[in-house]
Each structure stands twice: as C-alpha cells, then as structure tokens.
Amino acid sequence: MIDLSIVENDDNSINVFVGSGQGLVIGNKSFALGTQNNETDSTRLDVSYQVAGNVSNITQSISGGELGGLLEFRNDILDQVYNRLGVVTTGLMVAVNDQHQRGMDLDNQIGRNFFSDVNDTGLMRRRAQPDENNVEPNDRVIEVAIDDIAELVPSDYILRFSPNDATQYTITRLSDDTEVVSNVLSGVFPSTNEFDGLRVDLVSGSFSAGDSFRLVPHRNMASEISVAISNVRNIALAQPIRTTTSTSNIGTASISQGVVNDTDTRAFDVQNNALSPPLLIEFISSDRYDVLDNSDPSNPVNLVPPIVNRPFVPGIKNSIFSEDEHQTALTSSGTDISQLQIATAGNGYSVETIEFTTVDPDTSVITRQSVTTALNDTAETTAQSLNALVGVTAIARNYAQISNITSASPMTLTFNGELLSGTDANALADSINSNSALSTAGISAKSDGTTISVRANTGVDFTFQVGGGAPGDSVTVTNEDGTSSVITGAFATPAVTFGGKVDVYMGENITLEGGGALFDRLPNAVSTYMGVQVEIDGLPVEGDRFTIDYNTDGHSDNRNAVALAEIQTLKLLNDEEQSLQESYTNLVNIIGTKTHEVNISREAAESILFRVEADRDNIAGVNMDEEAVLLMQFEQAYNAAAQLISIARTTFDMLINAAGG
C-alpha cells in the first residue's frame, strides 16, 4: 500500500517510518495516517499525519505502493489530462459559439450560443477556489474569464497575497512554477490581470494578507460543456448576408458571397433581423469606388464614417471592408470645412494644431504626436502631414456639384485655372475629364444632363470662376455638405473657392483633438469595423454596382454549416499552431505513452517481485522437490543403519557362541 522505512532496534523491536521520516510506530507508540480535504481544492483528498493533535499534510512525501501510485497518477497524469482536455473543450465551445453567432437560423434570426457560455458568471467564479485557511469573512469574489483560446496553457494557478501585505499579490503557474503576475490591489475594484489567454478580476471582498486561491480555469471544463439550444430551427447554418450584382453592370467585375466575422457590430440590427444599413458599392471610375447607405435605393448616401473614393486594383481580389477591430475613423468637420469662399485667394482654412494621443494598453504610457497646418492648407497637404504620424492614416477628397448652368453672353467657366469648353452640363463634364492638368490632380466629372458631379481623389481645392460679364451668365456650386453659392459673370470677383475634407483612420487607443476649425476639438471617432467582408475582382467600369443585404429567407444556404465544420482543422490553440483535432490527438498520444510506460514499469516490477519471492521462498519456504530428495536420503540412511545393526547383532551372537563353546 505504501513505501515504508524500517529501523531495527537493539532489543529486536522495529520502528516504522513513512514519507520523509514521519514515524508510524516508534517503540510502544503508534501514530495515525488519515485523509483531509485539500486546502485549495475541496474535491480532492490529501494524506494527513497526526501527532499530539497536530495534523500535517504529507501527500507530497508519499511514494511507493498502491497509494503512492494513485497519488503519482493523480498529480502527473490525471491533472495534466484534465487541464489539456479542458483546453480542448474550451477551444471547441468558444470557436463553435463564435461561428454560430455569425450565422442565421431558419427564422431569419442571428445565431446565438450553441454551447453554454464559457464566461458565464457562475462558471467564472467557480474557477477560483479559496484556501480553507483564509481568514473570515469568506466574502472574496474572483472571476476567471477566458479571453484568448490561442494563448491558453493547460495548468492550474495559485493566486497568493503576501503574508505581510494585504495589497500585494502574485499569480503563479503551477505547471512550471512560473510567476505570471505581480500586482498591487489598489482598493478600486475590479483589479484586472491578463495572462495566458485569461483575465482574472478581483471583483470585491476583504482580501487579507496570506490569502490564497487556486485558479482552475480548465480542469472542470469537460464536465461544464452543455448544448444551449433545444430547437433545431435555431441552428444557424446560413450566413446572414447576401450579395447581388446589378443587371446593368457592363464591366466584368464579380463580388464574392461575403463572409460574416462578427454580428455584434453596428452593421447588424439583431432585433429587427436586418442589415443596418443595407449597402451599395458603386464604382465612380474603373479604379475607385464608394460604399453607400442603401436604405433608400433611389437616393444612396454616405456612411458614417464615410467609405468613399477608395482605390481599387483591377484584375485582383480586393477586400472592401476593414478587418481591424480596433480601428476608428472620423472626418474633418470643423467650422472652416467646406465653407465657400467668394474669392480666389485660398480656401479660408485656418492655422490649426491637430494632436493625437496614444495610450499603451499594457503600460498606460501616454505618447503624443501633432501636426500644425498653415493658412489655406489644402486637404491634400493636411493628409500628407497626418500620414507621416505613427498609427494614423489620412485620405483627402473633395466633391462639388455644378448646376443651374445658364449662358447669356455666352458664359465661360474656369475650373482651377483651366478654361472649360461648352456651356451645358455634358460638354463641361467632358471638358473636365479630357483636361490633362485636372486629371493629374485626380479630378474627374460626371454629368446627368443637368448637374455635374466633380470629384478629386487627392483633396485639392476647387476654384470655379464664371466669365462673360453678364448677370445671366451663372452657375450654382454646391459642396458635399449642401452649402451652395451662385456665381455670375457680373461679380467683381466672380469666383468661389472651397477646400476638401480629410478622413482620418486611427489605430487602437489613439484619439484626436482638433482646434475647431478643421477638426472639432473632441471629435467622435467611430469604429470602421463592420464585421463583414466581401471581395470584388475583375475589371469594373464606372457606374457598376453591387449590393449587400440581409439574407432574409436564405434557403439552401449552408455557408455557416461549412464554416462550423472547418473549425475541426483550424489552427486555434497553442499560439494558433494547433487545431482542436491535433490537440486532442496529442492528448490521446500522451495518455497512450504514459500507459505504455506504466505497463513497462509494471512488468519490470513484477519481474523483480517474482525474483524476490523466489529468493524468499528459497530461504523461508518449503521446496517439495528438495524435501523429497532429503526424505529419500533419510530413508536410505535409515536402511543402512538397520543393516548395520543386523550385522552387528549377528556378529555379536557368533562371538558369544564361540566363547561358550
């Protein structure tokens, strides 16, 4: 049952010891072994040793025998298997739940959790087990959440407060005895710690010096998994978006079916089972496109933040949406932006300092970058300066409409110093598009017969000037924000100039502070992440359109079912180097290898046991063959002795007879 040490005394009595020298029998006294609950895990028993009412835990000292084997199995194999199986289970639950929530069920509803939530409040709190020796009251609340399955380590942890300070604590990973957290409890709850793909929050309670908690994020997960849905109609096997190509397209571009990466974004109206808003992708040239709010198909409008004037590379697959979950964006919208200046001496943009603040999420270190613009700087120049900063990307653009074109004398129209030919919308648009200087500046135009839409993908200023000298020579110029100005040939300075806008895209934890003229002082940045992705390839032409809508009644759509099946082989665990299948296979291999090692050890131990028993039997046991041989020897000796007595008697009788005769 257990490995013993025996010491023989001079009086032939023996003392019996276990573990690291704990006496079971010493002289005429005996001491008790027993069991007790583990201090940090009430589900397991430890071996206890009692002397004079004092009980100590000697589990780590026990070896040999059936009990030692069971303890070794529990510590070296069972705990490891529990944790490894728990990591696989957690990975399965998180991956399936995440993908299922990206799908749509038979009732057009966004999928919910397929399995129980790995971060259910009750489950998070059961992962922290208090030490039985923690001082009263037992009011501490600790939550252990799963943050990143790729970083999970199959191990338990010990959270321990300093024995002399109720504010200082550490967290140690037990699999390799590595300290992963050293922190100070400030008194402001929760106190958050992130490591090994986990988030440990000290939520509340009277934490005291010497407190200890065992954190078991993985060990019990295989018993915690359960299916969260009961109706097969709620299995989300379809994708909640669908894409269509306009029948009027004349280019060869095509759009993918689309992939949903996250339904918990502004793009989805989960309550109403709709895309919010439906989207229109419109090509403004063969290499530029806008993404618009298509809620009113007769009048698509810009999104907030806008996705306009985006470059497209013909002939290859172009991803349309951002996949950066942390990126935010905003547009210059200060008091100077898009104000029409009735002059030719610049756009009227003021001098302004634009400051960016970055907070490091790990160290909380704050860094600042800034750009100061000059008077009348164009949107193009401002964007170039902003692009030199770290973590900041800027795109400049300009847009105008020319309408109500009237010609009396006849009229002439000069655009950015270039004299345009013609006096109607179509002719003026053709003149803009054929002008090499304007094309070099990234300017293009489109006419619907009465109104000209003018774009600049570089953000240069627009200056329009009417010539002709007569009040009847006039045009109406309208900027992107809807501000209009009528300029006529009768003006003393018959011209209007206005600048473009700058769209600013910022990385994680970056904020912008403007001066109010170009950018608001504290502008509201909006996430660019919509949780969807489509790809367009081929050769589009101006006017080609593609739409993205909610996949209402999307029958015969198994895209999410295919995605769920692919989870089996995706590299999700161990720093995204192992799939769930590979991890489970490794677990089976570990168990098989351990079993083989134990079988070899058992066979070797049995061989030693048999030899020892044989040696013992040779000394203390009865060998029947040897006893038979000895019996025969004794029998022969007896017979020989009997013959000797008979001969001696005969000889003696002969001697007596001879003497008497």
Side-chain angles (χ1 to χ4, degrees), residues 104-150:
M104 185 186 74
D105 66 17
L106 279 173
D107 296 321
N108 295 319
Q109 294 182 342
I110 298 295
R112 53 180 186 264
N113 278 346
F114 187 89
F115 292 117
S116 50
D117 186 1
V118 297
N119 287 330
D120 172 78
T121 300
L123 180 54
M124 288 194 295
R125 294 184 179 183
R126 288 196 295 275
R127 291 176 180 144
Q129 301 173 350
D131 192 301
E132 289 186 348
N133 295 320
N134 289 353
V135 298
E136 296 291 340
N138 186 21
D139 62 349
R140 291 77 156 174
V141 177
I142 298 177
E143 295 179 349
V144 182
I146 305 298
D147 258 5
D148 188 347
I149 59 174

Side-chain angles (χ1 to χ4, degrees), residues 291-451:
V291 181
L292 305 172
D293 178 342
N294 201 37
S295 298
D296 179 4
S298 64
N299 183 34
V301 296
N302 283 344
L303 297 169
V304 179
I307 305 177
V308 295
N309 199 32
R310 293 302 178 87
F312 180 87
V313 181
I316 67 170
K317 290 183 178 180
N318 290 252
S319 295
I320 302 301
F321 300 104
S322 170
E323 294 188 354
D324 185 349
E325 298 181 35
H326 305 291
Q327 186 185 69
T328 58
L330 53 85
T331 300
S332 56
S333 57
T335 56
D336 288 353
I337 295 298
S338 294
Q339 299 300 309
L340 305 184
Q341 303 296 314
I342 309 300
T344 57
N347 55 26
Y349 286 177
S350 304
V351 175
E352 182 169 306
T353 297
I354 309 164
E355 185 171 77
F356 294 85
T357 302
T358 304
V359 181
D360 189 298
D362 297 323
T363 63
S364 298
V365 173
I366 297 175
T367 56
R368 290 184 171 85
Q369 309 172 86
S370 63
V371 165
T372 300
T373 64
L375 183 66
N376 291 317
D377 262 356
T378 64
E380 178 182 30
T381 302
T382 301
Q384 291 172 351
S385 300
L386 295 178
N387 279 322
L389 304 180
V390 177
V392 178
T393 302
I395 298 176
R397 55 190 171 83
N398 206 348
Y399 176 83
Q401 286 187 340
I402 305 172
S403 59
N404 301 324
I405 303 168
T406 59
S407 175
S409 57
M411 177 202 75
T412 60
L413 180 64
T414 302
F415 178 28
N416 283 18
E418 301 293 321
L419 180 63
L420 304 180
S421 60
T423 57
D424 62 78
N426 291 337
L428 290 171
D430 290 341
S431 181
I432 292 172
N433 291 329
S434 62
N435 187 289
S436 59
L438 297 178
S439 296
T440 301
I443 298 173
S444 61
K446 182 179 180 180
S447 170
D448 64 2
T450 58
T451 300

Side-chain angles (χ1 to χ4, degrees), residues 254-256 279-283 289-292 303 307 310-313 316-323 528 530 532-537 546 548:
S254 62
I255 188 170
S256 66
L279 302 172
L280 170 67
I281 302 171
E282 182 176 28
F283 279 85
Y289 66 90
D290 293 343
V291 181
L292 305 172
L303 297 169
I307 305 177
R310 293 302 178 87
F312 180 87
V313 181
I316 67 170
K317 290 183 178 180
N318 290 252
S319 295
I320 302 301
F321 300 104
S322 170
E323 294 188 354
T528 62
M530 302 185 70
V532 300
Q533 186 59 273
V534 297
E535 292 179 335
I536 297 179
D537 62 1
F546 303 89
I548 306 173

Side-chain angles (χ1 to χ4, degrees), residues 4-40:
L4 301 174
S5 298
I6 297 175
V7 177
E8 187 172 354
N9 299 321
D10 293 339
D11 60 357
N12 292 328
S13 65
I14 60 173
N15 295 333
V16 182
F17 300 90
V18 295
S20 56
Q22 289 79 17
L24 283 186
V25 179
I26 300 177
N28 62 352
K29 295 182 179 180
S30 64
F31 303 92
L33 288 182
T35 60
Q36 64 181 27
N37 288 335
N38 183 277
E39 292 180 345
T40 59

Side-chain angles (χ1 to χ4, degrees), residues 179-223:
E179 185 179 291
V180 293
V181 169
S182 178
N183 206 349
V184 175
L185 190 63
S186 65
V188 178
F189 291 111
S191 178
T192 298
N193 309 272
E194 296 179 351
F195 59 92
D196 291 354
L198 306 173
R199 188 187 74 250
V200 176
D201 290 332
L202 280 64
V203 178
S204 63
S206 51
F207 294 94
S208 302
D211 277 357
S212 179
F213 303 83
R214 190 182 188 95
L215 309 181
V216 288
H218 315 301
R219 188 198 304 171
N220 302 316
M221 287 306 298
S223 63

Side-chain angles (χ1 to χ4, degrees), residues 426-504:
N426 291 337
L428 290 171
D430 290 341
S431 181
I432 292 172
N433 291 329
S434 62
N435 187 289
S436 59
L438 297 178
S439 296
T440 301
I443 298 173
S444 61
K446 182 179 180 180
S447 170
D448 64 2
T450 58
T451 300
I452 306 169
S453 298
V454 185
R455 295 175 180 270
N457 58 34
T458 56
V460 297
D461 289 347
F462 286 169
T463 299
F464 298 97
Q465 185 171 2
V466 172
D473 296 325
S474 67
V475 298
T476 300
V477 180
T478 306
N479 65 23
E480 181 179 325
D481 293 338
T483 302
S484 299
S485 178
V486 178
I487 51 178
T488 74
F491 284 175
T493 308
V496 61
T497 298
F498 60 92
K501 291 189 174 184
V502 180
D503 298 323
V504 181

